[in-house]
Amino acid sequence: MTVVNATSIEQALSALAANPQARLIQGGTDLMVEVNFNRTKVENVVSLRRVAELRRWHLDDETSMLRIGSGVPYAEMERAPLRDYVPALAEAARTVGSPQIRAAGSLGGNLGTCSPAGDGLPVLSALDAVVHLRSSAAARDVSVHDFMVGVKRNARQPHELIVAVSVPIVQGFQGYAKVGTRNAMVISAASACLVHDARAGTVRIALGAVAPTVVRARATEAWLATQTSLVGNPKVSDTLAREFGQRAAAECSPIDDHRSTADYRRHAISVLAQRLLLRAAYESTATTKRGPQ
Ligand SMILES: Cc1cc2nc3c(=O)[nH]c(=O)nc-3n(C[C@H](O)[C@H](O)[C@H](O)COP(=O)(O)OP(=O)(O)OC[C@H]3O[C@@H](n4cnc5c(N)ncnc54)[C@H](O)[C@@H]3O)c2cc1C
């Protein structure tokens, strides 16, 4: 086995160009499990751990876009200042594995594996994130919706590196919730991220672990837009929230597997979506009462 310990993006890219079949490793919290269980055979590795640039993030004040390096660990997303810019990502990061996993695991790895149960992915979907890819010859940006193409399949070409993802800073409530077979250290059986863009007056919801890839429940979003505005609106009734949850559940196509049944997953989504909408309505009402911050 050969291992290239890259110290720059350029070094990693030239190692990939020389050997596009080489496996990239960031935190190793997915890849090493595959190796240890003999599910994948790895001949050549390009390690990204020493590439400092991949572990940086940057807020562009002019565009209000936050660019998060693919190697930034979850432990950093949980804390301020990143936590304050993207609260839903912090909520999702807090649910990933144990502190050890969160110290090593990254969004680049979550996107690289592209499991429908990856906790970072519904957040990226609800925020309409952009994935930045680079090869030694070119750079391209792909919408996260086009990037996730199936169960553990993504649009990355073998010679490409995920260098970062960009998400907009959104004014308004955003939250993430998941259920699994226990309260902690658990892969999602169902998950949901809801983002209320108060300026645009829209609500977006993405669902995890209930289809081959993360689902943006666009029909549910469109239905909600005809029903109510969340901005300062205390009238989001339990009935409306329940219907919102049921509609979101209807957009899933879950399976029975060792983590859950399809029926339970649908039920879980209806409850998670309903609760997130009620939280959003409550937050938006509270913010309106407090006035602008
Ligand atoms: C005990 C345990 C608990 C876990 N709990 C959770 C959980 O609760 N929620 C959850 O979502 N996940 C969980 N995971 C899975 C894992 O931690 C996450 O998916 C994490 O985001 C992977 O990141 P990583 O940096 O470790 O990826 P790695 O293992 O380094 O890489 C994963 C894949 O992505 C590719 N890759 C990595 N970086 C790049 C890059 N820059 N460009 C292109 N491809 C790249 C690799 O080649 C590999 O195919 C858990 C894992 C373990 C072992």
Side-chain angles (χ1 to χ4, degrees):
M1 183 197 278
T2 65
V3 179
V4 174
N5 273 307
T7 54
S8 67
I9 290 179
E10 284 66 30
Q11 244 183 40
L13 289 176
S14 54
L16 261 191
N19 184 358
Q21 299 317 318
R23 294 297 299 270
L24 294 162
I25 186 165
Q26 178 65 52
T29 61
D30 271 329
L31 187 64
M32 291 315 296
V33 174
E34 295 294 299
V35 171
N36 290 341
F37 282 96
N38 281 325
R39 289 189 203 130
T40 187
K41 200 156 171 52
V42 176
E43 304 283 353
N44 304 290
V45 175
V46 179
S47 169
L48 304 170
R49 297 224 42 171
R50 295 186 193 162
V51 183
E53 204 182 329
L54 296 178
R55 296 174 76 105
R56 292 196 193 112
W57 58 267
H58 169 74
L59 175 63
D60 184 329
D61 288 323
E62 270 183 25
T63 59
S64 280
M65 292 296 283
L66 181 72
R67 185 180 167 108
I68 305 172
S70 58
V72 172
Y74 292 112
E76 193 166 346
M77 297 172 220
E78 290 178 67
R79 298 191 301 257
L82 273 184
R83 178 195 66 200
D84 300 334
Y85 291 133
V86 205
L89 190 58
E91 285 184 14
R94 247 175 258 135
T95 75
V96 173
S98 61
Q100 294 88 337
I101 297 296
R102 297 199 289 275
S106 64
L107 279 183
N110 222 212
L111 284 162
T113 298
C114 219
S115 158
D119 284 310
L121 306 183
V123 181
L124 297 182
S125 173
L127 286 169
D128 292 323
V130 173
V131 181
H132 304 290
L133 295 158
R134 265 183 70 183
S135 68
S136 56
R140 65 182 179 120
D141 294 342
V142 180
S143 151
V144 74
H145 310 298
D146 297 329
F147 186 79
M148 301 182 288
V149 296
V151 180
K152 299 198 172 179
R153 287 194 305 117
N154 62 43
R156 183 183 85 90
Q157 298 297 315
H159 55 286
E160 287 180 319
L161 180 68
I162 304 164
V163 285
V165 290
S166 288
V167 293
I169 300 298
V170 178
Q171 303 292 319
F173 169 85
Q174 47 180 271
Y176 178 79
K178 83 181 192 186
V179 288
T181 47
R182 49 181 186 254
N183 279 341
M185 275 290 289
V186 71
I187 301 291
S188 296
S191 64
C193 176
L194 184 142
V195 172
H196 173 213
D197 185 335
R199 287 209 176 123
T202 55
V203 168
R204 296 177 235 154
I205 182 157
L207 314 169
V210 286
T213 185
V214 169
V215 173
R216 246 313 267 283
R218 293 188 192 275
T220 305
E221 293 174 5
W223 170 81
L224 186 69
T226 65
Q227 300 298 307
T228 182
S229 160
L230 274 184
V231 186
N233 184 354
K235 287 193 206 139
V236 171
S237 63
D238 288 347
T239 316
L240 183 124
R242 200 173 309 117
E243 179 160 359
F244 177 77
Q246 284 162 355
R247 284 175 178 266
E251 290 195 59
C252 308
S253 46
I255 53 165
D256 293 333
D257 68 8
H258 61 288
R259 291 205 181 96
S260 187
T261 62
D263 281 350
Y264 180 73
R265 286 187 154 109
R266 262 191 220 96
H267 172 70
I269 288 295
S270 75
V271 174
L272 293 177
Q274 180 183 340
R275 285 185 188 159
L276 284 169
L277 186 69
L278 288 172
R279 271 176 70 195
Y282 174 80
E283 284 287 322
S284 123
T285 310
T287 312
T288 311
K289 281 189 186 142
R290 280 200 302 271
Q293 302 297 296

